[in-house]
Amino acid sequence: MSTTTIAPVGADADGYLLRTAGPQDIGGARAVMLDTVYRDLRSGYVPRWHADIIDPEAAYLRPGRCTLMVAERDGEIVATGAVRDRGPQAPPNPQWVADRFPSGTTAQLCRIYVAPEHRRHGLARRMVRELCDFVVRAGGYEAVYLHTDPAVPGAEPFWRSLAREVCDERTLPGGGQGIVHFELPLPGAWLREGVADTRLHH
């Protein structure tokens, strides 16, 4: 299991507790992730994209520079967020994007999902802040990368409020995958104040 962990940051006024996931949280985290890929992303489970959802422990809990974080309320996992030590691969991503964010020195934010009934409580913003702090503490990372599907309601404006666009594939010949690639600055202190949450992001 990862030795670089996020300590619980405490429950807010709404009773949400953000903390590093343990083996006991895998089922709840997987449920939030699968619900999102079926309900919001509408892709369903695709093995080449979602192997980490089936085995989050191998993907996030065991590697020392990766992590899975969850938000809990009344004993239920209601949101997830993760860091993996792997940059975007080409294909399917543009080669120059993959070259800019190589695996090993790139921290990729992923699976930042919030259950529908728990959105608009600031969980996404808090999750990103804590994950960026993890990246700093883990050491060795030179960039924080993520991509988002602008077809998901609220996803694109949320990330544009936090990060800098690197590539909007919709502008490429043929439209690419239709996703938008972003880079977030280090460290994560810039997220501490004044950033509104949204319903969902990917």
Side-chain angles (χ1 to χ4, degrees):
M1 183 180 297
S2 171
T3 57
T4 306
T5 59
I6 304 171
V9 295
D12 62 14
D14 292 327
Y16 292 100
L17 175 68
L18 273 67
R19 57 178 175 78
T20 304
Q24 73 279 4
D25 301 312
I26 293 301
R30 185 185 294 117
V32 171
M33 294 177 188
L34 286 174
D35 182 69
T36 301
V37 300
Y38 278 95
R39 183 202 306 258
D40 295 291
L41 301 178
R42 298 182 180 180
S43 66
Y45 172 72
V46 181
R48 69 181 183 276
W49 298 340
H50 303 135
D52 61 301
I53 295 178
I54 296 306
D55 194 356
E57 189 166 2
Y60 303 117
L61 271 59
R62 294 175 192 158
R65 298 172 66 238
C66 303
T67 196
L68 174 64
M69 191 173 186
V70 295
E72 177 185 342
R73 189 169 190 266
D74 298 329
E76 178 186 5
I77 302 303
V78 300
T80 62
V83 172
R84 64 175 64 170
D85 58 354
R86 182 165 60 99
Q89 305 297 297
N93 301 292
Q95 185 63 54
W96 70 268
V97 174
D99 292 342
R100 177 168 175 167
F101 299 104
S103 296
T105 58
T106 297
Q108 182 173 174
L109 302 190
C110 50
R111 309 302 177 208
I112 303 178
Y113 300 147
V114 180
E117 62 272 27
H118 297 279
R119 295 170 189 168
R120 307 195 69 82
H121 289 280
L123 291 176
R125 175 178 56 84
R126 291 177 63 197
M127 190 75 72
V128 173
R129 181 190 69 205
E130 297 300 327
L131 292 172
C132 285
D133 286 350
F134 169 88
V135 169
V136 173
R137 292 197 304 273
Y141 288 119
E142 298 176 2
V144 179
Y145 160 87
L146 65 103
H147 68 265
T148 193
D149 182 351
V152 177
E156 184 176 2
F158 176 85
W159 287 115
R160 289 192 181 280
S161 74
L162 302 180
R164 184 168 61 88
E165 177 192 312
V166 172
C167 175
D168 185 339
E169 293 198 20
R170 294 171 295 182
T171 68
L172 302 179
Q177 306 170 89
I179 65 175
V180 185
H181 303 265
F182 289 98
E183 181 175 8
L184 287 84
L186 284 173
W190 48 275
L191 283 172
R192 297 291 179 186
E193 298 178 358
V195 181
D197 192 20
T198 189
R199 292 182 293 171
L200 173 78
H201 47 292
H202 170 60

